[in-house]
Amino acid sequence: MSIEKGRISGSQLLFMFAGFVQGSALLVDFTIGITEQQSWMVILAGLVMMVPFILSYAALAKRFHGKNLVQINDMVYGRFLGKVLSLYYIFFLSMTLSFNILDVGELYKNFLMPDTPFIFLLAVFAAACAYAVAKGIEVLARVSHLFVITGIFVIVSTFILLIDQMDFSNFLPLFELPLIRIIQGIHILSAIPYGETLVFFMIMGRLNNTERAAGYALGGLLIGAMNLLAVSVRNTAVLGRTQSIWTSASFQSIRLIDIGTVLTRMDFLIGIAQTILIFFKCSLFFYALATALSQLFGLKSYLPLILPLAGIEVILAATVFQSPVDHAVITQNAGIIYSSPLIYVFSPLTLLIAKIRSLPGHERGGGT
Amino acid sequence: MKGVGGHDISFIDLCADLCSHCSGPLKRKEWREFAAFLVMYAIAFGLGLMYVLDIPIPSPMKGLQYLISDKLGLKYPQK
């Protein structure tokens, strides 16, 4: 039984992957305090590290064509263990969605609308995501290229406008950081912008052709990673070592744009682009959470769960961390450690077990 | 006559929302959907009420931080 009838194409998957990773552009700040001027390296290293795991997601989608994560878990691990593992995934989806809603709230509270009540910002944003999710995955997929183009436009235009203020000696010295900080940086980058793509486990089942899913997923990941790299290079080249002292390095670097005293205060561009991209990312998380829960409960549709889930996520977002410092400290340690088994262990393990047990057996065959 | 305050509007809005979402599954006799909606709605309402009344809501991440970093000692060295 499928709780979603919509279908998406391979190119739409590519744009969804790219937009999803772009939505984490502000989260690169989590590594800046740890890896400083070498953040660009950990972005690339994290990308390389995540490639085999993304390939395993695509291989699972191809093997279990039309099935979502909860159905795959039930088939591979059995009804009881499968449900337990699905609950773990659902907890991850729920927590990560609340963090992303909180990110938007903090973005608006700190930089754009400081006098607006925080809970109101969260509620309005969650309601917008709920509306998008209610329209279905097809609608989100159809507009995904617009989100990606908007993100690329803002990053490229701000990069060009800041070229005169860039000092590439800010990247020196190379390889001076202790290895453990590089490893932590790679762990953060691979777990947050790239590892969160396991949300596509709930989406890849909707692909109308899974034959080239791996190529589209990797292409989207690469586009998203190049955007993160451009953001990191821009911030380091403009701000240098001072980037680690700002609340948001991206906002601070964009504020330095001053072209003939006419083009100034361009930080609204980051505000607009990030709102759009985080909206897209949260909508995908929301969709995955609603469909996973509906599948777990054995419902015919995920629509009845959307509004209650939005309410729960808003309250979670408002209460999960006491302050932005608390947010950063917990995310840099427990936040990335608790999600590690889901990102690095269970998808290859599921694939291995499916291969050994020749799953999904005789049901397989609807490859295209 | 008493005027309609913010809390009254919120309450009316909640009731309207509840009715509009209940009517679909009820008409189609989808009892499982109806039960799931009511359970999730009750959780959302309970959490919302706790938030409004300033009752501390336990943070799952605080619990994980305690378990992973403090009890199991799994954490990266601080700078």
Side-chain angles (χ1 to χ4, degrees), chain A residues 334-364:
Chain A
I336 53 172
I337 292 171
Y338 98 91
S339 59
S340 293
L342 291 179
I343 297 167
Y344 310 113
V345 179
F346 285 116
S347 53
L349 185 69
T350 307
L351 189 62
L352 184 70
I353 295 173
K355 262 192 187 300
I356 292 169
R357 294 180 57 197
S358 301
L359 290 171
H362 65 277
E363 289 171 34
R364 206 178 156 200

Side-chain angles (χ1 to χ4, degrees), chain A residues 187 297 300 304 307 320 333, chain B residues 17 32-33 37 59 76 79:
Chain A
H187 190 176
F297 291 155
K300 288 177 189 163
L307 269 183
V320 73
N333 286 287
Chain B
D17 178 46
R32 194 185 274 259
E33 278 73 11
F37 169 75
S59 163
Y76 285 100
K79 233 169 108 179

